[in-house]
Amino acid sequence: MLSKQPFARRIVIAFTLMTLIVSGLFSLSIVGIVHSVEEHLVSEELDRELNIVLREIRQGLRPRLDSSTRFFATSSNEFAIPAQFSRTRAGFSEVVNGEEAFYVYTREVGNERYLLVQEQHEFEAREQVLFDVVLAGFLLSVAGAWLLGRIVAKKVMAPVTRLAQQVQHRDQLHPIAPLLAPDYADDEVGHLASAFDSTLVQLRRSLERERLFTSDVSHELRTPLMIVSTSCELLEASPLGMREREQVERIGRAAEEMSDLVQTFLTLARSKPEEASLAGEATLESVAEDQGKRWEAAIQDKGLRFEYLIEDLDATLYNHTFLRTVMSNLLRNALHYTDEGWVRLIIGKGGFRIEDSGPGIPSDLQERIFDPFVRGDHARGEGLGLGLSLVKRICAHQGWTITVYDLPPRGSSFRVVLDQDQQS
């Protein structure tokens, strides 16, 4: 699976494999050439010496040979052919007997066979030295290719690594962030930097349009919401009937909820996580008590039981607007999807849970339930499926985590972790 290896490692592997193949073929070629030359030269030399020996025998002379060369013939008992050389083919051949090795040159004249045998241990020693040198050269070339591959990979990957670090840097999304391409040569890396510049410019513009739209809309909605809230307060102070007072309270709650959403969108559009954490802080317990009082009546009006449980106290301060929006959306979700039974708000050290006895969430939908416009199989209310998406966005913005799981025999639980250290 070379394609899944890091690019730098692939360069090293490519260098090493290329050298392995080229050096291997070169080394094998040297060995083959040595054997071919050996056979050709020794064959010619032995043929020449055999001609001299046969001429001397015809003249009645004893063959004059060096200590490493011997003559054999079928026509002479003195030069009888040993069994180990009796089946050699005509021409040049090599015979190996244990640790001994011989060059054998055979000539057949009629029914007569003449052999010239030469010990080859000296040549074999030289040949072994040559083969050792070839093997050492092969291994050194492979090691050198690996080292060269490392060096080249480092140099080749340096601009790519630098470009990746620049693209990953969060300041690259800043409107006045400099372009990347001018820092690179007009090559593949430079073209890649230009492509990143084009994409990042479009992304900056999209983010800026979204930020301005969210900020402007949120800001413009604050005035009419303030008017609605003020009017509700004035109406509540007036003598009203029971039905009218319930309607005014309902309008007031809706206006307050809308105000929280406007503030949430405005904060998300204008601030960074560390800045948002400093604006309007409150403890988990205070927010939970406020949301419990706010939703308890609506939950009980539906015939459900509301339970507010404290497993442990948490004195840490959290962003009031974000925490209230997350908790409110989860409680509303539990109210809409629960027809009988109960809704629980449970707070503990570093987080809280909201549980219900509703139909639960199918396992195949639990991962997608936080995506925009995704609603459960038993969709309720007039929402568009954006509440849980907003919750997920707020948690990601603040570094919180939210998970959902089933409660046997039925029901679901949403768990929000606000402080990882306290939870652990």
Side-chain angles (χ1 to χ4, degrees):
M1 304 296 285
L2 184 61
S3 60
K4 293 187 177 181
Q5 297 287 340
F7 189 57
R9 188 178 299 172
R10 277 188 278 168
I11 294 176
V12 176
I13 293 174
F15 261 84
T16 306
L17 286 178
M18 181 182 66
T19 305
L20 186 67
I21 294 172
V22 173
S23 297
L25 292 176
F26 183 71
S27 301
L28 292 176
S29 300
I30 291 177
V31 173
I33 291 172
V34 168
H35 278 290
S36 177
V37 171
E38 173 189 8
E39 181 177 348
H40 179 72
L41 294 179
V42 174
S43 177
E44 286 187 350
E45 176 65 19
L46 291 178
D47 181 67
R48 184 180 61 80
E49 288 189 10
L50 184 58
N51 288 333
I52 295 174
V53 169
L54 292 177
R55 188 167 55 249
E56 290 175 343
I57 289 176
R58 292 190 192 100
Q59 294 174 358
L61 301 175
R62 189 176 181 81
R64 292 175 295 179
L65 298 171
D66 57 43
S67 58
S68 63
T69 307
R70 285 175 284 176
F71 171 75
F72 303 102
T74 56
S75 60
S76 173
N77 292 329
E78 181 182 358
F79 301 108
I81 300 175
Q84 61 179 335
F85 305 127
S86 61
R87 295 184 178 181
T88 56
R89 58 182 174 81
F92 176 83
S93 60
E94 292 186 60
V95 176
V96 179
N97 183 18
E99 296 183 355
E100 295 182 327
F102 305 91
Y103 294 131
V104 180
Y105 189 80
T106 304
R107 180 182 295 177
E108 296 179 354
V109 181
N111 293 327
E112 299 293 331
R113 296 180 74 237
Y114 301 98
L115 277 73
L116 202 61
V117 179
Q118 186 179 71
E119 296 178 358
Q120 58 167 317
H121 62 273
E122 292 185 2
F123 188 87
E124 283 293 322
R126 299 192 195 98
E127 190 178 46
Q128 186 61 46
V129 172
L130 176 62
F131 290 161
D132 291 342
V133 172
V134 171
L135 178 60
F138 171 73
L139 295 177
L140 286 175
S141 63
V142 173
W146 176 81
L147 180 61
L148 181 61
R150 291 285 299 270
I151 296 173
V152 171
K154 186 176 181 180
K155 289 186 175 295
V156 169
M157 291 302 299
V160 178
T161 304
R162 179 188 169 200
L163 178 60
Q165 292 174 347
Q166 287 178 305
V167 172
Q168 290 176 348
H169 201 281
R170 66 182 182 182
D171 287 344
Q172 204 59 43
L173 292 177
H174 198 277
I176 61 173
L179 296 177
L180 300 172
D183 294 339
Y184 297 91
D186 187 17
D187 55 11
E188 288 76 5
V189 179
H191 298 163
L192 182 61
S194 297
F196 275 125
D197 282 337
S198 176
T199 303
L200 287 171
V201 166
Q202 296 178 21
L203 182 59
R204 291 188 200 108
R205 290 173 179 171
S206 298
L207 290 175
E208 184 65 13
R209 284 196 299 268
E210 179 186 356
R211 186 187 69 82
L212 291 175
F213 174 78
T214 305
S215 178
D216 291 344
V217 170
S218 300
H219 185 271
E220 293 300 323
L221 286 175
R222 297 180 77 174
T223 300
L225 282 173
M226 183 66 68
I227 295 174
V228 172
S229 298
T230 304
S231 300
C232 287
E233 292 177 2
L234 293 175
L235 287 173
E236 288 177 352
S238 304
L240 298 174
M242 182 64 68
R243 181 180 179 82
E244 289 79 6
R245 186 170 296 277
E246 289 177 356
Q247 293 297 325
V248 171
E249 290 177 354
R250 183 178 179 184
I251 295 172
R253 285 196 300 269
E256 185 179 355
E257 189 175 336
M258 180 70 83
S259 179
D260 285 347
L261 286 174
V262 168
Q263 184 62 35
T264 297
F265 287 130
L266 192 61
T267 307
L268 286 174
R270 290 183 174 178
S271 67
K272 297 179 180 179
E274 57 270 18
E275 294 172 352
S277 63
L278 300 177
E281 294 183 331
T283 63
L284 175 59
E285 184 181 2
S286 64
V287 175
E289 288 180 356
D290 176 65
Q291 291 301 308
K293 293 177 182 178
R294 178 176 176 180
W295 287 97
E296 182 177 12
I299 292 172
Q300 291 177 347
D301 288 345
K302 194 175 179 181
L304 304 175
R305 186 173 71 258
F306 177 71
E307 300 177 9
Y308 172 50
L309 305 175
I310 301 177
E311 293 181 342
D312 202 350
L313 295 178
D314 184 1
T316 307
L317 296 178
Y318 304 101
N319 183 282
H320 179 264
T321 301
F322 287 155
L323 182 55
R324 185 168 58 182
T325 302
V326 168
M327 196 174 292
S328 177
N329 273 278
L330 293 178
L331 285 169
R332 181 192 299 106
N333 185 76
L335 172 62
H336 286 169
Y337 285 87
T338 306
D339 291 328
E340 58 181 6
W342 43 263
V343 173
R344 293 194 189 113
L345 171 57
I346 307 170
I347 67 172
K349 202 77 170 177
F352 67 93
R353 303 192 308 275
I354 293 180
E355 302 175 348
D356 62 68
S357 57
I361 302 172
S363 56
D364 59 336
L365 192 62
Q366 289 182 3
E367 291 295 327
R368 299 188 299 111
I369 198 68
F370 296 103
D371 295 339
F373 306 108
V374 174
R375 307 183 71 190
D377 296 335
H378 308 280
R380 308 290 177 84
E382 300 178 354
L384 298 175
L386 294 175
L388 292 181
S389 173
L390 177 61
V391 168
K392 185 72 172 180
R393 182 180 174 188
I394 293 173
C395 289
H397 184 274
Q398 291 296 104
W400 303 340
T401 58
I402 179 169
T403 53
V404 58
Y405 52 90
D406 290 331
L407 290 178
R410 56 178 293 164
S412 58
S413 175
F414 287 84
R415 180 171 182 258
V416 179
V417 178
L418 308 173
D419 191 329
Q420 300 287 345
D421 295 334
Q422 293 192 49
Q423 283 283 323
S424 60

